[in-house]
Amino acid sequence: MVGGLLGLKTTGKNRPVQNPPLILVGCSGGPDSLALAAVCAFFATRGEVRVGAVVVDHQMQEGSAEVAQATAGQLRGLGLDPVVVRTVDLEHDGAGPEAAARAARFGALEATAHQLGADQVLLGHTLDDQAESVLLGLARGSGTRSLAGMRERRGMYVRPFLGLRRDETLAICQALGLTPWHDPANQDPAYLRVRVRNTVLPFLGAELGPGVAASLARSATILGYDADFLDELAEAEFVTLAQRSTESGTEFPQIALSENGLRGLPAALRMRVLALAAVELGGVQPSLERLAAAETLLARSGSAGPVQLAGKVSAWRISRKHSVPHEGASYGKLVLKRSS
């Protein structure tokens, strides 16, 4: 499984190569990532790849530094090299501690990969994690991309264990005599994901059958293909429609999108094009409500805006009563700009 995702053949024969590539395992010390590190250590002995690890200390719990160092010690004992411990400070921007920890973690993983020259970072998410992600997306009323859950590959990140159950990673640790760290936060019902894991999924399994987690993960795979296709189409339309400029007298960029071009798109693509513009300007993914509000500007029957999107990005249309000439560069355009 791991070897296939890394492009390695699992024939059992050693195939050492000159200057083998470095891959990193993001390891919290929990059973999933520790089992992944142990499996990857096998491939390191074959000489086809070098395997290192990154342990991120989020400083969210007392004794986190000791946990990180103990995890690093186990990883070095498995033969992983280099093993880097990164201590991060969380930036709370109103999105909650889980989102802040995730952002800090991925920032540390990416920075370490670039520093060490690693092309891939492996993460230990399992099928159970995938099922939880789909349910969380449903509960939040999210779109196709969110319901698609986590992808097996996205950029430098690879998740080889998405087909494994959490119990199987525990079995790997037990078989190899490893001592995983069990994060007490994973049992704290204050977190929605914990309630989904310990209450909602067991209930669904009891009522719908034990295969519900696998069914949810399978749905994520199908939706992932759909989301990828729609995202590709939206990206192509965005490239065609987007006109970038800087507002006179400021340093803030803005993007103008043809109103007629947007109106001619199916809703699924139109929403994505608007979101792409907002994100490019430094905003975050807007909610459905914000995107729908921006869409109403295209009707030219009410306010010309501005409509506030997420991340200080606003959208408005050039009104016919505006002093801009009808043949001007901005007329007939929906304009998005990020404020200071």
Side-chain angles (χ1 to χ4, degrees):
M1 180 181 297
V2 176
L5 283 173
L6 297 178
L8 305 176
K9 297 179 180 179
T10 54
T11 61
K13 298 179 181 179
N14 290 335
R15 301 175 184 272
V17 298
Q18 189 174 12
N19 298 320
L22 173 66
I23 63 171
L24 296 174
V25 179
C27 188
S28 66
D32 301 338
S33 58
L34 192 58
L36 176 60
V39 172
C40 289
F42 163 75
F43 291 98
T45 65
R46 290 156 52 93
E48 298 173 73
V49 293
R50 292 183 296 129
V51 179
V54 186
V55 183
V56 179
D57 175 12
H58 300 88
Q59 304 186 87
M60 294 178 68
Q61 299 169 347
E62 185 177 352
S64 63
E66 289 76 11
V67 170
Q69 292 299 333
T71 298
Q74 285 201 85
L75 295 170
R76 294 185 182 105
L78 288 169
L80 274 65
D81 182 48
V83 175
V84 178
V85 176
R86 297 290 296 263
T87 302
V88 298
D89 296 312
L90 305 190
E91 296 183 5
H92 296 283
D93 57 0
E98 290 177 286
R102 184 181 186 277
R105 179 167 60 256
F106 276 93
L109 292 173
E110 185 171 348
T112 307
H114 288 315
Q115 177 186 350
L116 298 177
D119 294 328
Q120 296 182 346
V121 177
L122 274 58
L123 306 174
H125 297 113
T126 65
L127 183 148
D128 296 273
D129 295 312
Q130 186 76 299
E132 293 162 13
S133 295
V134 175
L135 283 178
L136 287 168
L138 285 169
R140 292 165 179 156
S142 302
T144 310
R145 172 55 64 197
S146 181
L147 295 180
M150 297 171 286
R151 305 311 309 276
E152 198 170 62
R153 285 183 179 273
R154 183 169 291 281
M156 71 169 62
Y157 298 105
V158 184
R159 296 178 172 89
F161 277 5
L162 277 185
L164 286 186
R165 302 302 302 268
R166 191 169 288 131
D167 288 346
E168 293 177 290
T169 65
L170 279 168
I172 292 173
C173 291
Q174 292 169 358
L176 297 177
L178 301 174
T179 305
W181 173 63
H182 295 278
D183 186 351
N186 288 335
Q187 299 301 321
D188 186 350
Y191 295 106
L192 179 58
R193 182 177 285 273
V194 173
R195 298 198 297 274
V196 168
R197 176 179 303 165
N198 293 340
T199 304
V200 178
L201 268 172
F203 173 80
L204 291 177
E207 295 296 320
L208 303 178
V212 66
S215 296
L216 288 168
R218 187 165 56 250
S219 295
T221 299
I222 296 169
L223 288 169
Y225 296 141
D226 293 348
D228 286 345
F229 179 63
L230 289 170
D231 287 348
E232 289 175 9
L233 293 178
E235 180 67 39
E237 295 292 348
F238 180 64
V239 169
T240 300
L241 296 176
Q243 296 180 0
R244 300 164 180 83
S245 62
T246 301
E247 187 180 28
S248 176
T250 75
E251 297 180 355
F252 301 113
Q254 62 185 32
I255 295 175
L257 302 167
S258 164
E259 289 185 45
N260 287 335
L262 287 171
R263 290 191 195 98
L265 295 177
L269 297 185
R270 188 165 55 248
M271 292 287 199
R272 283 172 164 80
V273 168
L274 290 171
L276 283 170
V279 171
E280 182 176 307
L281 290 170
V284 296
Q285 176 71 28
S287 68
L288 174 64
E289 290 76 16
R290 293 294 85 205
L291 289 172
E295 253 197 329
T296 62
L297 298 174
L298 299 174
R300 283 194 169 269
S301 58
S303 170
V307 169
Q308 297 301 318
L309 302 176
K312 298 183 178 180
V313 174
S314 57
W316 72 94
R317 59 176 170 79
I318 301 299
S319 169
R320 286 188 173 88
K321 297 179 181 180
H322 198 277
S323 60
V324 174
H326 286 201
E327 67 273 11
S330 295
Y331 188 78
K333 303 283 196 308
L334 199 66
V335 181
L336 291 88
K337 185 185 74 172
R338 180 172 180 175
S339 61
S340 58

